């Protein structure tokens, strides 16, 4: 019985009307904090775009110069683009707990637009597959450029469609109960939604289908992009676990991004929905994923280190213990060790601030990890089938790199802020549904929760 | 124990090899190797501590035949060593990968991991038949079933010579130790000696521009160094 | 999703303890048959020990084959227990209840059998004490911890201990029931159960500790569970053999293990349902839920398999390509490969997508048997072609063909595991009584409008 551990100042909203009213009120009230955040991120984004412009002016001949840009792109791909999966996961596991979380993670699908745009300048940087190791074996025609673009485009599009469809019922609520320009926008976005039984049935089926599709697309896109943009650029690097590692860190980044977004939502208003339970549950998930991350990293390391062949020693030198050792160590510390060492303690895990801070650390660590993987790959890039014989010196970021590295993630945050004004930040319909399926009952000597599990 | 540990090594000059197989026979006689009967060879379980590989290049009449003696490579960075669970194979101070027959339990992991395929497993108990057992070298163990064996650089000869030198109170002379194959080869393909001594004949030959190592890309750092054949 | 039937406690006791109380003639027939089978295996083993490994089909390049394949296979099967018990316990999956014990028992017997295989396969099994147990204190000769073959016994011993503890802890309340039922009727059994049940009275403190121990053991055993098959995979991955030397092996093997292990549990459940008359407990709902789980596991496994396959060819090294060629185009590996890919993935998984198949006990039985045939072949196809391809610097390119000795020994391991589970069911219930009763108390319903939705009571 968890009654005793519940924090006293947390108010649970208990009727459907209260939920509608409360969420809509907070959705419509745009505070000063929001505008400040929007202005700051917009300014930073501008800086980032300027950095990109500088870089573009330098041309795409110098591959090494684009390393930090590629790292930024990969970072956004592995955090922003995989965060919506947290919400989709609940559909498969029928977990009631995650209902209030779903929208804060799903809104990350909107910045996916930026991820897709950022991919375009990278296209000319992927060398042709002839005469080097690559996933595509010089086949089919147009690979990797065409297929990478198609995969990423499909991923971004299906994320947007999912976000759009999952907000239909809420858009109806906004249309009927909202104020100002919002009903018109909502009507424009979901004109057809009436909430009939047939529509609900279609919506539920479609969401499950799209969620599964999104997951498959995410795995596929991460697998091929990670190979094309980093591993296959390093001759002699042939690690089959690298694509799954990339997928795994993407899931980790998605969960971390969701926790951070949830924390901010909670402190800016949705205090009665995003409760301690949700942070706790996602904290456990983050811990699991971090442990798996260590495991995946280790299974690459042990095989290479034990094998002791010069080719593999060079790869280890390049991406781990060579000139990028500080980056690797700090990435490992922030994204794997911090979650492990802090989240195994109940005191840290069973709190709100704990998972939030750990998630911030993971986001930082993943950024460093992407730098370690992509900057090295771009610096080492050479079209050859022979293993590298000399580890290049560390490539340091220049002014444009720093501008992009700060500005482009800020752009993603800006898009998230924009999206949060298009639809409510808490999924009203999912909360209402959970009110129906979740009842507190007397059980033996205390209270317990009864969870309905519809077929 | 010498002040400076030896690193025993060998050069194999392919240019001199005529493929006469004398080394194979010498090795068999010296090291009590099981007789490769027809049955054993058909089972693909033959024992060749040193073997002459034969390669054909080109078509007749421009046909070229290459002979290529392959023995155990005595890797300094041996893939077989770390995988043995019982230290049955490990590196001695003088740079030989020694095989301790007593400790071997026969996991055969080392054989899998040997890129040169130079390890042999005793599938049967093979005591030589009646008159042949009189040929056995008393200095060398006859291996029982279930253990691995491989070329030892004729370690019994090395030790005997070392003892001899110690008795006479002197250092080992270069070229004093001669494994059976080295001693027997009529064309002088093999040169055996101490690679740690820069003045030894083998170290000099290892500097030859023709030198290379088998499967060098694996980084095994072998002590057997080949000298390339140069076609006239 | 759960079965909604209300069953009384005494009915549950009676049904689930039937295998303990009654010994039908079929039991003796089956047990006798299995014993004979094992006897045949033991004879083959004795023959092999006497003559040496020459009686097997092993030859110079192919030093590991059938026994090692079987070792990996049984370690894989043993992953079922923890997968079912621990992960499902931690995620509060209600449908785990009748499945857990059988899965754990399968784990213990499969793992013990697996642990025998490397010993049997060694050239001098009587010397294995050097290797598995560091005993030599006098001469200071210790096993080499650098060898993956030393990591293996450590991992297996840890996992075996953990799994046995797991069974024992979760069985305490059942043992107490058995003890109370045996009182006055069967004195020998009474004493056995009385000692084993450690004075269990069912006080609330005892229940609390038992529940806590279950959760803690689940959490602690998870890393062990992942590590065991990873370490088994590193036996291969750290070696320089082409097609073995792949970084992905650890998670790939673990997923494959879960795939075959959960399938084996489904097979076992179908057999239990049929022969122990547990139709009220093991229902199509459980097969449905396990079928969904299997879909997820199989898809994940296939992803790893595919990546491994692609990245085997990635470098286009001649050795890797040669192994691939051997696997795909040379008999018998091409035939085995086709059988493997169809039985392990292409036939069962599309079938499982159909709800009708998932709810049919017979079809689930057949498909899961297929999966395990495929997964056995998968290990064989990983292990042998990697050694058998035409290696450079050697002219003895032997081909491996299995001998009758190996077949006899390997097939008798299946009899060992079956007989173990059968004997276990003679002494202890294969479906946990207490878990089942708890499930009965926690089921509930929620009225929504005119419909009532099945629900579970959850402490949270």
């Amino acid at each position: 019985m968890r009654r005793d551990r519940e924090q006293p100042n947390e108010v649970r909203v208990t009727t459907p009307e209260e939920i509608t009213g409360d969420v809509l009120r907070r959705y419509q009230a745009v505070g000063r904090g929001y505008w400040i955040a929007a202005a700051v991120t917009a300014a930073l984004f501008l800086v980032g775009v300027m950095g990109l412009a500088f870089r573009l002016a330098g041309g795409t001949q110098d591959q090494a110069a684009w390393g930090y840009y590629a790292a930024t792109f990969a970072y956004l791909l592995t955090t922003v683009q995989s965060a919506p999966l947290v919400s989709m996961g609940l559909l498969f596991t029928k977990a009631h707990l995650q209902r209030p979380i779903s929208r804060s993670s799903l809104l990350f699908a909107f910045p996916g637009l930026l991820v897709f745009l950022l991919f375009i300048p990278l296209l000319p940087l992927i060398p042709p597959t002839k005469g080097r190791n690559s996933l595509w074996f010089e086949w089919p025609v147009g690979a990797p450029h065409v297929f990478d673009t198609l995969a990423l485009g499909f991923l971004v599009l299906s994320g947007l469609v999912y976000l759009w469809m999952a907000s239909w019922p809420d858009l109806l609520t906004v249309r009927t109960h909202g104020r100002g320009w919002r009903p018109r926008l909502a009507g424009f976005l979901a004109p057809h939604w009436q909430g009939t039984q047939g529509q609900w049935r279609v919506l539920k089926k479609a969401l499950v289908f799209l969620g599964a599709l999104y997951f498959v697309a995410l795995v596929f896109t991460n697998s091929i992009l990670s190979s094309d943009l980093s591993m296959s650029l390093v001759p002699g690097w042939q690690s089959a676990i690298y694509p799954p590692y990339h997928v795994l860190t993407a899931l980790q980044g998605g969960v971390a991004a969701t926790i951070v977004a949830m924390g901010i939502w909670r402190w800016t208003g949705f205090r009665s929905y995003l409760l301690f339970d949700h942070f706790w549950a996602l904290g456990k998930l983050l811990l699991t994923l971090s442990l798996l991350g260590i495991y995946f990293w280790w299974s690459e390391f042990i095989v290479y280190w034990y094998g002791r062949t010069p080719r593999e020693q060079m790869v280890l030198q390049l991406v781990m213990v060579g000139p990028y050792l500080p980056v690797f160590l700090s990435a490992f510390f922030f994204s794997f060790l911090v979650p492990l060492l802090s989240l195994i303690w109940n005191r840290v895990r069973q709190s709100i601030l704990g998972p939030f801070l750990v998630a911030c650390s993971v986001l930082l660590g993943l950024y460093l990890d992407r730098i370690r993987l992509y900057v090295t790959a771009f610096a080492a890039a050479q079209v050859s089938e022979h293993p590298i014989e000399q580890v290049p010196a560390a490539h340091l970021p220049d002014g444009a790199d720093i501008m992009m590295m700060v500005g482009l993630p800020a752009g993603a945050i800006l898009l998230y802020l924009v999206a949060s004004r298009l639809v409510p930040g808490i999924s009203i319909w999912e909360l209402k549904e959970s009110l129906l399926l979740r009842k507190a009952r007397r059980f033996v000597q205390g209270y317990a929760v009864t969870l309905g599990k519809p077929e | 124990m010498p002040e400076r540990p030896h690193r025993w090594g060998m050069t194999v000059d392919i240019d001199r090899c005529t493929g006469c197989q004398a080394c194979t026979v010498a090795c068999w006689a010296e090291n009590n190797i099981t007789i490769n009967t027809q049955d054993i060879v058909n089972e693909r379980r033959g024992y060749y501590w040193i073997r002459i590989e034969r390669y054909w290049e080109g078509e007749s009449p421009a046909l070229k035949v290459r002979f290529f003696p392959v023995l155990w490579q005595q890797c300094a960075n041996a893939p077989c060593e770390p995988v043995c669970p019982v230290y049955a194979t490990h590196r001695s101070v003088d740079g030989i990968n020694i095989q301790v027959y007593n400790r071997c339990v026969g996991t055969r992991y080392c054989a899998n991991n040997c890129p040169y395929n130079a390890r042999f497993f005793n599938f049967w108990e093979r005591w030589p038949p009646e008159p042949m057992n009189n040929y056995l070298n008393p200095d060398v163990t006859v291996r029982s079933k279930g253990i691995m064996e491989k070329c030892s650089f004729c370690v019994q000869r090395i030790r005997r010579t070392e003892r001899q030198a110690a008795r006479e109170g002197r250092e080992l002379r270069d070229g004093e130790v001669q494994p059976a194959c080295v001693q027997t080869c009529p064309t002088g393909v093999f040169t055996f000696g101490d690679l740690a001594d820069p003045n030894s004949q083998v170290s000099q030959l290892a500097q030859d521009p023709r030198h290379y190592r088998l499967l060098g890309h694996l980084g095994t750092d072998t002590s057997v160094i080949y000298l390339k054949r140069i076609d006239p | 999703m759960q079965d909604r039937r209300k069953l009384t406690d005494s009915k549950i006791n009676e049904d689930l303890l039937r295998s303990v109380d009654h010994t039908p003639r079929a039991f003796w027939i089956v047990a006798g048959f299995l014993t004979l089978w094992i006897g045949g295996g033991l004879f083959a083993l004795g023959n092999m020990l006497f003559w040496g490994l020459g009686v097997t089909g092993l030859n110079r390049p192919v030093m590991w084959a059938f026994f090692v394949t079987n070792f990996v296979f049984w370690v894989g099967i043993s992953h079922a227990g923890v997968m079912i018990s621990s992960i499902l316990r931690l995620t509060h999956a209600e449908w785990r209840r009748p499945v857990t014990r059988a899965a754990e028992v399968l784990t213990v017997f499969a793992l013990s059998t697996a642990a025998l295989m490397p010993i049997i396969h060694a050239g001098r099994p009587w010397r294995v004490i050097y290797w598995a147990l560091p005993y030599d204190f006098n001469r200071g000769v210790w096993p080499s911890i650098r060898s993956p073959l030393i990591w293996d016994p450590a991992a297996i011993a840890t996992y075996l201990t953990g799994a046995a503890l797991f069974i024992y802890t979760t069985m305490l309340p059942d043992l107490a029931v058995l003890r109370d039922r045996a009182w006055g009727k069967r004195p020998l059994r009474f004493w056995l159960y009385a000692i084993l049940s450690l004075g269990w009275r069912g006080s609330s403190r005892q229940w609390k500790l038992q529940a806590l121990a279950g959760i803690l053991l689940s959490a602690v055993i998870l890393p062990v569970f992942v590590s065991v098959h990873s370490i088994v995979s590193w036996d291969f991955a750290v070696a320089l053999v082409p097609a073995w030397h792949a970084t992905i092996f650890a998670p790939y093997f673990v997923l494959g293990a879960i795939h075959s292990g959960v399938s084996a549990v489904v097979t076992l459940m179908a057999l239990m349902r049929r022969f122990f008359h547990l139709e009220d407990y093991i229902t199509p709902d459980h097969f449905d839920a396990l079928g969904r789980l299997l879909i997820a596991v199989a898809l994940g496994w296939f992803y790893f398999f595919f990546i491994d396959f692609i990245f085997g060819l990635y470098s286009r090294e001649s050795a890797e390509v040669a192994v691939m060629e051997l696997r795909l185009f040379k008999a018998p590996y091409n035939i085995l490969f086709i059988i493997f890919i169809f039985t392990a993935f292409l036939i069962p998984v599309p079938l499982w997508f159909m709800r009708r198949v998932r709810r049919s006990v017979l079809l689930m039985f057949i498909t899961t048997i297929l999966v395990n045939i495929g997964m056995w072949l998968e290990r064989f196809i990983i292990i042998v072609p990697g050694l058998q391809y035409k290696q450079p610097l050697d002219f003895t390119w032997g081909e491996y063909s299995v001998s009758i000795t190996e077949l006899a020994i390997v097939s008798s391991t299946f009899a060992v595991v079956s007989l173990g589970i059968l004997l276990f069911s003679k002494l202890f219930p294969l479906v946990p009584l207490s878990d089942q009763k708890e499930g009965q108390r926690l089921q509930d319903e929620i009225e929504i409008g005119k419909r009532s939705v099945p629900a579970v009571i959850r402490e949270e």
Side-chain angles (χ1 to χ4, degrees):
Chain A
M1 320 294 123
R2 283 275 328 292
R3 294 269 139 191
D4 50 338
R5 260 183 287 163
E6 205 163 281
Q7 300 184 354
N9 54 355
E10 287 193 332
V11 194
R12 287 202 185 217
V13 188
T14 44
T15 65
E17 293 75 27
E18 266 178 49
I19 292 178
T20 312
D22 189 53
V23 174
L24 272 188
R25 188 167 51 74
R26 294 181 190 279
Y27 162 58
Q28 285 164 350
V30 181
R32 200 198 299 166
Y34 176 82
W35 289 116
I36 292 174
V40 170
T41 49
L44 284 174
F45 185 44
L46 212 61
V47 171
V49 172
M50 275 160 57
L52 178 57
F54 286 141
R55 183 58 73 232
L56 277 173
T60 55
Q61 273 74 41
D62 183 9
Q63 190 138 12
W66 284 86
Y68 285 93
Y69 176 76
T72 312
F73 161 76
Y75 175 63
L76 288 180
L77 174 73
T78 47
T79 50
V80 165
Q81 199 58 53
S82 50
L85 263 188
V86 178
S87 131
M88 296 165 189
L90 97 96
L91 273 161
F92 296 111
T93 54
K94 295 180 184 162
H96 289 273
L97 202 64
Q98 273 91 337
R99 283 170 188 273
I101 302 171
S102 106
R103 190 58 55 73
S104 27
S105 78
L106 207 50
L107 285 176
F108 276 109
F110 196 66
L113 282 174
L114 179 69
V115 177
F116 186 70
L117 290 178
L118 290 183
F119 180 61
I120 296 169
L122 284 173
L123 275 174
L125 288 159
I126 306 175
T129 54
K130 203 159 182 54
R132 69 181 171 109
N133 292 334
S134 98
L135 198 56
W136 301 99
F137 304 105
E138 301 168 28
W139 182 92
V141 182
H145 302 81
V146 174
F147 288 90
D148 286 0
T149 318
L150 281 180
L152 186 63
F154 181 77
L155 180 69
V156 169
L157 191 70
S158 56
L160 286 174
V161 171
Y162 191 96
L163 169 64
W164 177 55
M165 289 181 76
S167 15
W168 281 350
D170 286 3
L171 289 171
L172 178 67
T173 315
V174 174
R175 201 165 75 194
T176 48
H177 295 82
R179 279 185 289 110
W181 48 270
R182 291 177 186 88
R184 245 176 304 142
L185 176 73
F188 171 73
L189 283 175
H192 54 284
W193 180 261
Q194 308 278 331
T196 64
Q197 208 168 358
Q199 281 183 330
W200 271 109
R201 204 176 300 134
V202 171
L203 178 70
K204 292 241 163 166
K205 282 228 164 100
L207 287 184
V208 169
F209 179 72
L210 258 180
L213 201 64
Y214 190 85
F215 182 67
V216 173
L218 185 91
V219 171
F220 182 70
T221 314
N222 266 296
S223 302
I224 61 173
L225 280 182
S226 63
S227 164
D228 284 336
L229 286 176
S230 85
M231 184 165 64
S232 72
L233 297 178
V234 182
W237 190 7
Q238 177 204 2
S239 170
I241 204 167
Y242 183 63
Y245 171 80
H246 210 273
V247 172
L248 185 82
T249 47
L251 298 180
Q252 198 195 5
V255 173
T258 306
I259 294 179
V260 170
M262 272 164 53
I264 292 166
W265 276 116
R266 182 183 155 88
W267 290 312
T268 55
F270 289 121
R271 208 185 159 74
S272 11
Y273 308 98
L274 296 166
L275 306 173
F276 155 78
D277 291 339
H278 305 120
F279 288 88
W280 187 26
L282 282 194
K284 280 189 275 191
L285 189 59
L286 188 62
L287 174 62
T288 313
L289 290 172
S290 306
L291 282 172
L292 279 176
I294 296 179
Y295 170 59
F296 275 43
W297 167 79
W298 174 253
S299 23
E300 177 174 18
F301 178 77
I302 177 111
V303 172
Y304 274 16
W305 173 78
Y306 201 101
R308 291 182 297 175
T309 60
R311 173 175 72 91
E312 290 163 357
Q313 296 291 319
M314 288 314 275
V315 171
L316 284 188
Q317 281 281 325
L318 182 69
V319 297
M320 286 176 205
V321 297
Y324 293 89
L325 182 67
V327 184
F328 165 66
L329 283 184
S330 44
F332 196 80
F333 177 75
F334 285 120
S335 59
F336 296 141
L337 287 185
V338 167
L340 172 62
L341 296 180
S342 57
L343 285 180
I344 50 167
W345 301 107
N346 280 340
R347 291 287 292 279
V348 182
R349 194 170 63 236
Q350 295 178 352
S351 68
I352 290 168
L353 199 62
F356 179 80
L357 290 178
V358 171
C360 292
S361 151
V362 167
L363 286 181
L364 174 66
L366 282 182
Y367 211 159
L368 292 167
D369 196 53
R370 293 304 95 118
I371 288 174
R372 151 178 97 94
L373 295 168
Y374 285 79
V375 176
T376 50
F378 271 65
Q382 41 183 299
V383 179
S384 101
E385 282 179 349
H386 299 290
I388 36 172
E389 271 152 18
Q390 209 172 11
V391 174
H395 180 73
L396 296 175
D398 61 7
D401 282 332
I402 292 172
M403 284 161 82
M404 289 191 293
M405 281 161 65
V406 176
L408 299 179
I413 300 174
L414 177 67
L415 284 182
Y416 188 92
L417 289 173
V418 170
S420 72
R421 292 301 119 190
L422 298 178
V423 282
I426 294 278
S427 176
I428 302 173
W429 66 273
E430 283 182 272
L431 275 186
K432 283 185 186 169
E433 200 179 43
S434 86
L435 282 184
L436 289 176
L437 291 174
R438 191 191 167 99
K439 297 265 190 297
R441 296 237 165 131
R442 272 202 83 80
F443 186 65
V444 196
Q445 291 155 350
Y447 280 95
V449 176
T450 300
L451 295 176
K453 298 258 173 181
E455 298 289 306
Chain B
M1 194 66 37
E3 313 102 57
R4 175 179 50 79
H6 299 290
R7 184 184 171 188
W8 299 111
M10 185 188 270
T11 54
V12 182
D13 192 343
I14 311 284
D15 221 354
R16 289 167 178 248
C17 183
T18 59
C20 70
Q21 306 258 15
C23 48
T24 321
V25 177
C27 182
W28 167 79
E30 170 74 19
N31 290 304
N32 299 342
I33 299 175
T34 310
I35 304 158
N36 284 327
T37 58
Q38 194 176 358
D39 283 349
I40 292 188
V41 175
N42 284 345
E43 284 170 355
R44 308 278 184 229
R45 290 165 182 170
Y47 301 83
Y48 321 90
W49 282 18
I50 182 165
R51 58 183 191 259
I52 306 289
E53 304 215 332
R54 191 183 56 197
Y55 296 93
W56 306 93
E57 251 180 45
E59 293 287 322
S60 176
L63 179 71
K64 284 188 182 125
V65 185
R66 309 281 192 208
F67 296 110
F68 198 68
V70 179
L71 64 162
W72 209 46
Q73 302 289 315
Q74 307 286 2
C75 315
N77 195 0
C80 56
E81 277 175 13
V83 298
C84 178
V86 292
Y87 283 122
T89 177
H90 68 91
R91 193 164 177 75
S92 71
V93 282
D94 50 357
I96 299 179
N97 296 80
I98 50 179
Q99 176 76 20
V100 187
Y101 301 128
N102 282 345
R103 286 191 66 80
C104 181
V105 295
T107 64
R108 310 190 288 291
Y109 200 165
C110 48
N112 286 341
N113 216 22
C114 178
Y116 305 99
N117 246 319
R119 295 181 147 268
F120 305 90
F121 183 71
N122 285 277
F123 285 95
W124 306 102
E125 190 83 56
R126 293 272 183 189
W127 197 256
E130 216 353 276
M132 300 295 283
N133 54 2
N134 295 320
Y135 283 95
L136 290 177
N137 181 352
D139 288 344
V140 179
T141 318
V142 176
R143 279 76 59 184
S144 69
K145 68 172 187 265
I147 60 173
M148 296 304 296
E149 61 181 60
K150 49 122 195 120
C151 161
S152 61
F153 264 0
C154 289
V155 68
Q156 68 280 5
R157 291 183 172 217
I158 298 178
R159 295 286 173 266
R160 194 166 54 213
T161 321
E162 273 174 359
R163 276 198 301 274
Q164 181 81 29
R167 257 202 304 278
E168 293 169 13
R170 59 175 171 86
E171 287 282 299
L172 276 176
R173 283 190 294 271
D174 185 31
E176 192 179 4
V177 184
Q178 282 209 323
C181 52
V182 180
Q183 191 181 18
T184 317
C185 184
T187 53
V189 171
F190 308 100
T191 311
F192 186 81
D194 187 1
L195 281 174
D197 175 7
N199 300 319
S200 68
Q201 200 189 352
V202 72
S203 299
Q204 301 291 331
L205 273 174
Q207 306 295 325
D208 192 288
R210 293 187 292 142
H211 83 277
Y212 68 99
R213 286 185 159 100
L214 279 190
L215 303 182
H217 67 277
L218 294 175
T220 43
D221 190 13
T222 57
S223 305
V224 176
I225 293 160
Y226 284 79
L227 301 178
K228 202 174 162 183
R229 181 186 183 110
I230 308 284
D231 283 323
Chain C
M1 198 140 127
Q2 270 68 49
D3 191 21
R4 293 287 131 194
R5 230 162 315 176
K6 285 279 177 196
L7 299 162
T8 60
D9 287 357
S10 60
K11 172 107 169 71
I12 291 180
N13 280 354
E14 193 183 320
D15 284 353
L16 298 184
L17 294 178
R18 193 181 294 127
S19 70
V20 181
D21 294 341
H22 304 283
T23 312
R25 190 136 53 112
F27 170 82
W28 293 114
I29 296 172
V30 174
F33 174 69
L34 290 175
T35 315
L36 276 181
W37 191 356
I38 295 170
L42 283 177
F43 175 75
L45 179 63
N47 190 46
M48 190 179 85
L49 289 183
F50 184 76
W51 290 108
L53 283 173
V55 298
T56 62
L58 298 169
N59 53 35
R60 235 202 356 102
V62 189
M63 290 285 188
W64 287 6
F66 240 55
F67 293 144
V68 177
T69 307
N70 205 42
F71 165 66
V72 182
F73 174 77
W74 281 118
V75 177
I77 295 287
S78 77
H79 278 51
V82 165
M83 175 66 200
I84 300 283
S85 292
S86 147
I87 295 185
L88 297 184
R89 199 178 297 259
L90 290 178
T91 53
H92 301 291
E94 233 4 71
W95 53 268
R96 73 170 193 274
R97 295 190 185 279
V99 187
T100 47
R101 175 82 41 81
E104 289 155 11
V105 172
L106 183 63
T107 294
V108 168
F109 285 108
L111 202 59
S112 324
T113 313
L116 286 178
M117 294 319 291
I119 299 175
I120 291 174
H121 127 115
R124 301 203 288 187
W126 52 92
R127 293 254 175 162
V128 155
I129 193 158
Y130 277 130
W131 159 21
L133 299 172
Y135 79 103
D136 196 337
F137 299 101
N138 296 327
R139 285 179 294 171
V141 191
W142 299 91
S144 160
I145 53 160
R146 295 181 301 172
S147 169
L149 293 182
I150 287 298
W151 314 340
D152 269 338
I156 289 176
T158 315
Y159 188 44
L160 195 58
T161 315
L165 263 182
F166 208 105
I167 295 189
Y168 187 50
T169 321
T170 51
M171 204 163 57
L172 278 175
D174 295 0
L175 286 170
V177 171
L178 283 166
R179 175 195 62 196
D180 297 348
R181 283 162 61 97
W183 168 244
K185 279 178 270 182
R186 294 162 137 183
L188 206 66
R189 283 199 172 203
F190 171 77
W191 281 110
L192 172 73
Y193 295 134
I195 291 166
L196 284 180
S197 59
L198 298 178
W200 179 273
R201 310 225 167 288
S203 71
S204 60
R205 183 184 134 78
Q206 283 178 332
W207 276 112
K208 203 168 172 177
L209 285 175
Q210 196 252 1
L212 200 65
I215 291 170
L216 272 181
L217 273 173
S218 313
V220 169
I221 211 169
L222 269 181
V224 180
F225 144 76
V226 174
S227 75
V228 172
H229 221 59
S230 304
I231 285 172
V232 169
S233 82
W234 287 329
D235 286 352
F236 306 103
V238 298
L240 290 178
V241 179
W244 287 12
H245 191 61
T247 50
I248 202 170
F249 260 34
Y252 168 46
F253 269 50
V254 171
L255 270 175
I258 297 173
H259 185 37
S260 67
V262 177
S263 296
V265 170
V266 175
T267 312
L268 182 61
M269 277 166 56
L271 289 173
M272 275 161 60
R273 179 183 152 94
R274 173 80 180 75
F275 292 109
F276 293 170
H277 306 291
L278 297 176
E279 284 85 354
D280 286 346
Y281 301 89
I282 302 171
T283 62
D285 293 324
H286 295 107
F287 288 93
D288 191 6
L290 278 168
R292 286 169 206 233
L293 180 69
L294 275 172
I295 293 177
V297 172
L299 288 175
W301 167 77
F302 193 74
Y303 169 67
F304 278 85
F305 165 74
F306 188 70
I307 293 266
D308 177 51
F309 194 84
I310 289 290
F311 280 88
L313 292 171
Y314 181 86
S315 65
R316 287 175 282 187
E317 276 168 16
S318 57
E320 296 272 358
V321 175
V323 176
M324 243 0 137
E325 213 178 304
L326 190 59
R327 277 184 187 168
L328 294 181
F329 301 116
K330 299 273 168 61
Y333 300 104
N334 53 357
I335 300 165
L336 295 180
F337 193 87
I338 290 168
I339 298 176
F340 143 64
I341 200 75
F342 272 93
T343 51
F345 191 77
L346 290 181
I347 296 174
V349 176
L351 280 175
W352 291 336
F353 271 106
M354 282 181 266
R355 188 178 152 82
R356 207 136 38 97
V357 174
R358 286 201 306 267
R359 300 187 69 85
S360 150
V361 179
L362 180 67
L363 281 177
M364 284 305 279
F365 177 72
I366 294 170
T367 45
T368 49
I369 291 269
L370 283 184
V371 167
N372 271 319
I373 294 174
M375 292 310 285
W376 204 97
L377 291 176
E378 185 223 13
R379 276 67 178 257
F380 187 70
I381 291 170
I382 287 176
I383 292 168
V384 178
L387 296 171
Q388 196 193 299
Y389 81 104
K390 294 201 169 179
Q391 312 189 6
L393 303 176
D394 194 10
F395 52 79
T396 55
W397 294 310
E399 281 183 16
Y400 175 74
S401 58
V402 62
S403 72
I404 192 104
T405 307
E406 282 163 298
L407 271 179
I409 294 174
V410 163
S411 75
S412 70
T413 57
F414 288 81
V416 170
V417 175
S418 313
L419 187 65
I421 295 172
L422 201 62
L423 294 182
F424 184 90
S425 79
K426 237 24 256 151
L427 285 176
F428 310 105
L430 271 181
V431 175
L433 307 174
S434 54
D435 242 15
Q436 204 62 38
K437 291 173 194 164
E438 187 184 45
Q440 290 284 328
R441 280 170 182 64
L442 287 181
Q443 66 188 32
D444 196 0
E445 285 187 347
I446 285 185
E447 310 283 327
I448 299 178
K450 285 177 230 158
R451 217 154 66 97
S452 85
V453 174
V456 282
I457 295 169
R458 178 75 48 88
E459 301 174 42
E460 59 163 50

